[in-house]
Amino acid sequence: VLIMVSALIALVTTGILGISLTGDNSQVGDATSSEASPAPGVSELASSAGLPMLDGTATVEMVVNGSPIVMELDGTNAPITAGNFVDLVNRGVYDGLVFHRVVRDPEPFVAQGGDPQSKDPSVPAQQLGTGSFIDPDTQAPRYVPLEIKPAGAEEPIYGETFEEAGISEPPELPHTRGAVAMARSQAIDSASAQFYITLAELPFLDGSYAVFGYVTSGMETVDAIQQGDRIESARVIEGLENLKTE
Protein backbone atom coordinates (compact mmCIF):
# COMPACT_ATOMS: atom_id res chain seq x y z
CA VAL A 1 0.00 0.00 0.00
CA LEU A 2 2.82 2.37 0.87
CA ILE A 3 4.47 1.66 -2.45
CA MET A 4 1.23 2.34 -4.31
CA VAL A 5 0.60 5.63 -2.51
CA SER A 6 4.21 6.74 -2.97
CA ALA A 7 4.01 6.00 -6.67
CA LEU A 8 0.78 7.91 -7.05
CA ILE A 9 2.13 10.89 -5.14
CA ALA A 10 5.15 10.83 -7.44
CA LEU A 11 2.84 10.95 -10.46
CA VAL A 12 1.11 14.01 -9.09
CA THR A 13 4.16 15.91 -7.96
CA THR A 14 5.96 15.40 -11.25
CA GLY A 15 3.01 16.93 -13.06
CA ILE A 16 2.16 13.81 -15.06
CA LEU A 17 -1.47 14.62 -14.41
CA GLY A 18 -1.20 18.24 -15.25
CA ILE A 19 -2.83 18.63 -11.85
CA SER A 20 0.63 19.32 -10.64
CA LEU A 21 0.80 19.50 -6.90
CA THR A 22 0.95 20.13 -8.92
CA GLY A 23 -2.70 19.91 -10.60
CA ASP A 24 -15.03 3.62 -6.50
CA ASN A 25 -16.71 1.24 -6.05
CA SER A 26 -17.15 3.84 -3.40
CA GLN A 27 -20.32 5.66 -2.68
CA VAL A 28 -20.11 7.95 -5.67
CA GLY A 29 -23.87 8.25 -5.71
CA ASP A 30 -24.24 8.67 -1.97
CA ALA A 31 -22.82 12.16 -1.69
CA THR A 32 -25.85 14.28 -0.88
CA SER A 33 -26.18 17.81 0.35
CA SER A 34 -28.75 19.87 2.16
CA GLU A 35 -30.69 22.58 0.41
CA ALA A 36 -29.25 25.31 2.62
CA SER A 37 -27.98 28.32 0.73
CA PRO A 38 -24.27 29.22 0.86
CA ALA A 39 -23.26 31.67 3.56
CA PRO A 40 -23.55 35.37 2.61
CA GLY A 41 -19.77 35.71 2.76
CA VAL A 42 -19.44 33.21 -0.08
CA SER A 43 -21.97 35.12 -2.17
CA GLU A 44 -20.05 38.35 -1.61
CA LEU A 45 -16.78 36.67 -2.60
CA ALA A 46 -18.28 35.32 -5.83
CA SER A 47 -19.86 38.66 -6.65
CA SER A 48 -16.75 40.71 -5.99
CA ALA A 49 -14.65 38.36 -8.15
CA GLY A 50 -17.24 38.23 -10.91
CA LEU A 51 -17.57 34.46 -10.58
CA PRO A 52 -20.68 32.34 -11.09
CA MET A 53 -22.06 30.48 -8.08
CA LEU A 54 -24.29 27.43 -7.68
CA ASP A 55 -26.91 27.87 -4.95
CA GLY A 56 -27.99 24.26 -4.31
CA THR A 57 -27.36 21.36 -6.66
CA ALA A 58 -27.25 20.72 -10.39
CA THR A 59 -27.01 17.62 -12.57
CA VAL A 60 -24.80 17.43 -15.65
CA GLU A 61 -24.85 14.77 -18.35
CA MET A 62 -21.60 14.33 -20.24
CA VAL A 63 -21.50 12.00 -23.26
CA VAL A 64 -18.24 10.16 -24.02
CA ASN A 65 -17.96 7.41 -26.62
CA GLY A 66 -21.71 7.54 -27.11
CA SER A 67 -22.51 6.80 -23.45
CA PRO A 68 -23.72 9.20 -20.75
CA ILE A 69 -21.91 10.07 -17.54
CA VAL A 70 -24.21 11.75 -15.01
CA MET A 71 -22.70 14.03 -12.35
CA GLU A 72 -24.41 15.50 -9.32
CA LEU A 73 -22.75 18.82 -8.50
CA ASP A 74 -22.80 20.21 -4.98
CA GLY A 75 -23.19 23.97 -4.76
CA THR A 76 -23.99 23.84 -1.08
CA ASN A 77 -20.51 22.64 -0.14
CA ALA A 78 -18.59 24.02 -3.16
CA PRO A 79 -20.66 26.93 -4.48
CA ILE A 80 -18.01 28.75 -6.53
CA THR A 81 -16.27 25.67 -7.91
CA ALA A 82 -19.55 23.98 -8.86
CA GLY A 83 -20.91 27.26 -10.23
CA ASN A 84 -17.87 27.72 -12.46
CA PHE A 85 -18.26 24.21 -13.89
CA VAL A 86 -22.01 24.50 -14.47
CA ASP A 87 -21.50 27.85 -16.18
CA LEU A 88 -18.84 26.38 -18.49
CA VAL A 89 -21.09 23.42 -19.30
CA ASN A 90 -23.97 25.77 -20.05
CA ARG A 91 -21.71 27.84 -22.34
CA GLY A 92 -20.81 24.69 -24.32
CA VAL A 93 -17.14 25.02 -23.39
CA TYR A 94 -16.65 21.28 -22.81
CA ASP A 95 -18.23 20.10 -26.06
CA GLY A 96 -15.52 18.50 -28.19
CA LEU A 97 -12.75 18.71 -25.59
CA VAL A 98 -10.33 15.85 -24.96
CA PHE A 99 -9.45 13.72 -21.94
CA HIS A 100 -5.75 14.44 -22.38
CA ARG A 101 -4.46 12.46 -19.39
CA VAL A 102 -5.76 9.13 -18.20
CA VAL A 103 -3.63 7.50 -15.51
CA ARG A 104 -4.28 3.86 -14.57
CA ASP A 105 -0.74 2.66 -13.81
CA PRO A 106 0.61 1.69 -11.38
CA GLU A 107 -2.95 1.87 -9.99
CA PRO A 108 -6.18 3.53 -11.18
CA PHE A 109 -5.85 7.27 -10.57
CA VAL A 110 -7.74 9.86 -12.64
CA ALA A 111 -9.18 10.76 -16.04
CA GLN A 112 -8.45 14.43 -16.68
CA GLY A 113 -9.85 16.69 -19.39
CA GLY A 114 -11.37 20.07 -20.04
CA ASP A 115 -8.43 21.99 -21.49
CA PRO A 116 -10.10 24.42 -23.94
CA GLN A 117 -7.05 24.16 -26.22
CA SER A 118 -7.92 20.53 -26.94
CA LYS A 119 -10.84 21.49 -29.18
CA ASP A 120 -8.24 22.44 -31.81
CA PRO A 121 -6.68 19.22 -33.22
CA SER A 122 -3.64 21.20 -34.39
CA VAL A 123 -2.55 21.92 -30.79
CA PRO A 124 0.35 19.57 -29.89
CA ALA A 125 -0.55 16.89 -27.37
CA GLN A 126 2.34 17.94 -25.12
CA GLN A 127 0.77 21.40 -24.79
CA LEU A 128 -2.50 20.07 -23.44
CA GLY A 129 -2.92 20.56 -19.72
CA THR A 130 -1.77 24.18 -19.82
CA GLY A 131 -4.95 25.89 -21.05
CA SER A 132 -7.59 27.92 -19.23
CA PHE A 133 -11.05 29.25 -20.05
CA ILE A 134 -10.82 32.70 -21.62
CA ASP A 135 -13.79 34.79 -20.55
CA PRO A 136 -15.20 36.41 -23.71
CA ASP A 137 -16.33 39.45 -21.70
CA THR A 138 -12.88 40.23 -20.32
CA GLN A 139 -10.65 38.43 -22.84
CA ALA A 140 -8.70 37.17 -19.84
CA PRO A 141 -8.41 33.73 -18.22
CA ARG A 142 -11.03 33.04 -15.56
CA TYR A 143 -9.64 31.39 -12.44
CA VAL A 144 -11.46 30.17 -9.35
CA PRO A 145 -9.98 30.11 -5.86
CA LEU A 146 -9.23 26.82 -4.17
CA GLU A 147 -12.46 26.08 -2.28
CA ILE A 148 -12.67 23.20 0.20
CA LYS A 149 -15.15 22.85 3.04
CA PRO A 150 -14.03 21.05 6.21
CA ALA A 151 -16.53 18.50 7.48
CA GLY A 152 -18.98 20.18 9.85
CA ALA A 153 -17.88 23.72 8.97
CA GLU A 154 -20.38 26.41 8.07
CA GLU A 155 -18.59 27.44 4.89
CA PRO A 156 -15.52 26.53 2.80
CA ILE A 157 -12.05 27.92 3.23
CA TYR A 158 -10.50 29.73 0.26
CA GLY A 159 -7.01 30.06 -1.16
CA GLU A 160 -5.38 27.59 1.24
CA THR A 161 -4.88 23.87 1.46
CA PHE A 162 -5.91 22.20 4.71
CA GLU A 163 -2.25 21.73 5.56
CA GLU A 164 -1.55 25.44 5.09
CA ALA A 165 -4.62 26.34 7.14
CA GLY A 166 -3.77 23.89 9.91
CA ILE A 167 -7.02 21.96 9.46
CA SER A 168 -7.02 18.31 10.52
CA GLU A 169 -10.66 17.51 9.78
CA PRO A 170 -11.51 15.68 6.56
CA PRO A 171 -13.26 17.61 3.79
CA GLU A 172 -17.02 17.54 3.40
CA LEU A 173 -16.48 16.28 -0.16
CA PRO A 174 -13.72 13.64 -0.15
CA HIS A 175 -11.90 12.03 -3.07
CA THR A 176 -13.92 8.82 -3.20
CA ARG A 177 -14.08 6.89 -6.47
CA GLY A 178 -16.10 8.91 -8.96
CA ALA A 179 -15.35 12.30 -7.40
CA VAL A 180 -15.32 15.23 -9.82
CA ALA A 181 -12.69 17.84 -8.93
CA MET A 182 -10.77 20.76 -10.41
CA ALA A 183 -7.23 20.36 -11.69
CA ARG A 184 -4.77 23.18 -11.07
CA SER A 185 -1.10 24.03 -11.27
CA GLN A 186 1.14 24.53 -8.25
CA ALA A 187 -0.47 27.95 -7.87
CA ILE A 188 -3.28 27.46 -5.34
CA ASP A 189 -5.89 29.58 -7.12
CA SER A 190 -5.17 28.51 -10.71
CA ALA A 191 -8.14 26.20 -11.41
CA SER A 192 -10.09 27.29 -14.48
CA ALA A 193 -11.71 24.69 -16.76
CA GLN A 194 -9.70 21.49 -16.42
CA PHE A 195 -11.28 18.82 -14.22
CA TYR A 196 -10.64 15.22 -13.29
CA ILE A 197 -12.71 12.21 -12.28
CA THR A 198 -11.14 9.84 -9.77
CA LEU A 199 -10.83 6.21 -10.84
CA ALA A 200 -10.23 5.06 -7.26
CA GLU A 201 -10.46 6.37 -3.73
CA LEU A 202 -7.61 8.91 -3.38
CA PRO A 203 -7.64 10.26 0.18
CA PHE A 204 -4.14 11.77 -0.09
CA LEU A 205 -5.60 14.44 -2.41
CA ASP A 206 -8.16 15.50 0.22
CA GLY A 207 -7.63 19.01 1.49
CA SER A 208 -5.42 19.98 -1.46
CA TYR A 209 -7.80 19.81 -4.44
CA ALA A 210 -11.42 20.92 -4.71
CA VAL A 211 -14.03 18.20 -5.19
CA PHE A 212 -17.37 19.68 -6.27
CA GLY A 213 -19.48 16.68 -7.20
CA TYR A 214 -19.73 12.97 -7.90
CA VAL A 215 -20.54 10.66 -10.77
CA THR A 216 -23.93 9.12 -9.96
CA SER A 217 -24.25 6.92 -13.05
CA GLY A 218 -22.04 5.95 -15.97
CA MET A 219 -18.94 5.10 -13.97
CA GLU A 220 -18.40 2.15 -16.32
CA THR A 221 -18.06 4.72 -19.11
CA VAL A 222 -15.51 6.66 -17.06
CA ASP A 223 -13.54 3.45 -16.46
CA ALA A 224 -13.39 2.87 -20.23
CA ILE A 225 -12.11 6.37 -21.14
CA GLN A 226 -8.85 6.31 -23.06
CA GLN A 227 -6.39 9.16 -23.42
CA GLY A 228 -7.51 11.18 -26.43
CA ASP A 229 -11.23 10.41 -26.11
CA ARG A 230 -13.43 13.45 -26.65
CA ILE A 231 -16.40 14.81 -24.72
CA GLU A 232 -19.10 14.64 -27.36
CA SER A 233 -21.46 16.86 -25.39
CA ALA A 234 -22.10 18.19 -21.90
CA ARG A 235 -25.36 19.71 -20.75
CA VAL A 236 -27.09 20.73 -17.54
CA ILE A 237 -30.15 18.48 -17.23
CA GLU A 238 -31.34 19.71 -13.84
CA GLY A 239 -30.73 22.65 -11.52
CA LEU A 240 -29.70 25.29 -14.05
CA GLU A 241 -32.00 27.71 -12.25
CA ASN A 242 -29.65 27.43 -9.26
CA LEU A 243 -26.78 29.00 -11.21
CA LYS A 244 -26.18 32.62 -10.21
CA THR A 245 -24.06 34.59 -12.65
CA GLU A 246 -24.52 38.09 -11.27
Side-chain angles (χ1 to χ4, degrees):
V1 173
L2 289 176
I3 293 174
M4 181 193 77
V5 171
S6 297
L8 290 176
I9 291 174
L11 287 175
V12 182
T13 54
T14 55
I16 193 168
L17 291 182
I19 299 176
S20 163
L21 272 196
T22 162
D24 311 25
N25 190 20
S26 69
Q27 289 99 40
V28 296
D30 293 347
T32 57
S33 60
S34 68
E35 293 302 316
S37 297
V42 177
S43 300
E44 292 167 3
L45 173 62
S47 179
S48 64
L51 295 171
M53 187 182 74
L54 185 67
D55 186 358
T57 61
T59 305
V60 164
E61 180 188 76
M62 187 172 285
V63 177
V64 179
N65 293 323
S67 298
I69 301 165
V70 178
M71 308 169 177
E72 177 89 0
L73 307 181
D74 188 340
T76 299
N77 291 306
I80 293 177
T81 313
N84 175 69
F85 188 81
V86 170
D87 179 59
L88 296 180
V89 169
N90 194 48
R91 290 172 180 258
V93 169
Y94 291 115
D95 296 350
L97 299 190
V98 165
F99 281 94
H100 60 276
R101 285 189 176 89
V102 180
V103 180
R104 292 193 174 92
D105 295 318
E107 296 289 340
F109 196 23
V110 304
Q112 181 183 341
D115 184 339
Q117 298 178 109
S118 66
K119 187 168 289 189
D120 182 354
S122 69
V123 174
Q126 61 268 28
Q127 187 174 319
L128 299 181
T130 63
S132 302
F133 168 65
I134 305 300
D135 190 324
D137 294 332
T138 64
Q139 293 301 307
R142 186 173 83 188
Y143 299 112
V144 294
L146 181 64
E147 174 185 59
I148 311 176
K149 184 177 179 180
E154 291 187 3
E155 61 182 51
I157 64 166
Y158 291 91
E160 288 184 300
T161 65
F162 278 17
E163 181 179 7
E164 290 169 336
I167 294 173
S168 58
E169 290 81 2
E172 193 71 44
L173 303 177
H175 280 82
T176 54
R177 173 172 149 86
V180 186
M182 293 304 290
R184 62 173 176 82
S185 70
Q186 288 182 326
I188 293 294
D189 296 333
S190 60
S192 180
Q194 294 183 54
F195 68 95
Y196 60 92
I197 304 172
T198 56
L199 304 177
E201 187 169 354
L202 302 173
F204 62 90
L205 296 182
D206 288 346
S208 295
Y209 294 88
V211 174
F212 59 93
Y214 295 89
V215 172
T216 55
S217 69
M219 197 60 201
E220 69 281 358
T221 300
V222 176
D223 287 332
I225 291 173
Q226 299 298 314
Q227 191 161 300
D229 284 350
R230 289 190 180 273
I231 299 168
E232 293 160 27
S233 65
R235 63 191 182 102
V236 184
I237 59 175
E238 190 174 338
L240 184 58
E241 69 278 4
N242 294 331
L243 179 64
K244 313 300 181 186
T245 57
E246 295 181 0

